[in-house]
Amino acid sequence: MKNLLSTIRDCSLCADKLPLDPRPIIEAAKHSKIVLISQAPGRKVHESGVAWKDQSGKKLREWLGVTEETFYNTDNFAILPLGFCYPGKAKTGDLPPMKICAPTWHDQVWNELKHVKLKLLIGAYAQNYYLPDDKRNLTEKVKNYNDYLPEYFVIPHPSPVNRFWRMKNPWFENTVVTKLQEHVNSIL
């Protein structure tokens, strides 16, 4: 696993398409129990080099019901974004993740992960990539999160940009987050 992570962190396949120098962000260990699959690191994460070390990460840890110490223990959580590098800014939020990362690296990472109990699909990009035949929109997928268990748990992205979605869908934080916390707690 260490050699693979080192190789991924040295990747520069899409360097000519990125707004900043490549800085692939990934965290995993052979014993990771829960894999967090999301879109791509934001600019703050790119600058710090620490996955989910931003407002989105703060909200995600709140939803998971875990401390930073628990969250950053790779025996608990692996962090496997669809795009490993910051893709650049869009009108609202960031650009989509680079399409080369997941097909190039994900299978190799999965081959190393031997103790995964849950794959958390965070946001539409992750859900569309890992559930390509499911044509429901994000809201319908999240409402029907039970349909994907025990392998997957689907949630919206915790970005501050998605605060309006959360305001329109209070059932998520009132009901689904509790179920997510119970599920995560039972695994950890």
Side-chain angles (χ1 to χ4, degrees):
M1 177 66 88
K2 287 182 181 180
N3 290 338
L4 176 59
L5 293 178
S6 180
T7 301
I8 292 170
R9 289 178 181 133
D10 289 338
C11 179
S12 61
L13 287 172
C14 56
D16 60 332
K17 296 173 183 70
L18 296 171
L20 304 171
D21 287 338
R23 190 173 191 183
I25 306 289
I26 180 172
E27 297 295 337
K30 281 190 177 287
H31 298 286
S32 298
K33 297 176 194 84
I34 300 172
V35 181
L36 307 174
I37 306 163
S38 58
Q39 53 191 64
R43 186 168 185 131
K44 284 185 179 179
V45 167
H46 173 86
E47 290 168 356
S48 73
V50 181
W52 293 102
K53 194 71 169 171
D54 57 10
Q55 287 301 312
S56 296
K58 184 177 179 183
K59 180 57 76 175
L60 178 60
R61 287 186 291 280
E62 179 185 309
W63 288 350
L64 294 170
V66 298
T67 64
E68 278 196 37
E69 182 180 350
T70 300
F71 183 82
Y72 287 112
N73 178 341
T74 54
D75 283 339
N76 294 326
F77 294 98
I79 296 169
L80 185 64
L82 292 182
F84 297 124
C85 295
Y86 171 64
K89 188 90 177 115
K91 286 182 182 179
T92 58
D94 293 335
L95 289 170
M98 292 292 171
K99 293 186 179 185
I100 193 168
C101 297
T104 302
W105 299 112
H106 278 210
D107 284 346
Q108 293 178 64
V109 174
W110 289 120
N111 287 336
E112 295 288 326
L113 294 170
K114 304 297 183 193
H115 302 280
V116 174
K117 305 281 189 237
L118 182 67
K119 299 169 188 170
L120 189 60
L121 300 179
I122 305 167
Y125 290 114
Q127 292 164 21
N128 292 341
Y129 186 84
Y130 276 91
L131 305 169
D133 298 329
D134 190 330
K135 301 306 178 197
R136 292 182 278 189
N137 67 26
L138 178 133
T139 303
E140 286 302 311
K141 287 175 185 163
V142 173
K143 275 184 182 175
N144 295 287
Y145 70 91
N146 272 318
D147 293 354
Y148 308 102
L149 290 170
E151 184 175 9
Y152 299 109
F153 202 113
V154 297
I155 63 171
H157 196 282
S159 167
V161 173
N162 288 340
R163 67 188 176 281
F164 298 114
W165 183 91
R166 294 195 314 265
M167 287 169 49
K168 286 173 52 178
N169 298 283
W171 52 267
F172 170 71
E173 289 184 322
N174 294 336
T175 306
V176 178
V177 167
T178 302
K179 297 298 181 189
L180 174 62
Q181 289 174 353
E182 290 170 0
H183 208 70
V184 166
N185 189 49
S186 72
I187 292 169
L188 299 179

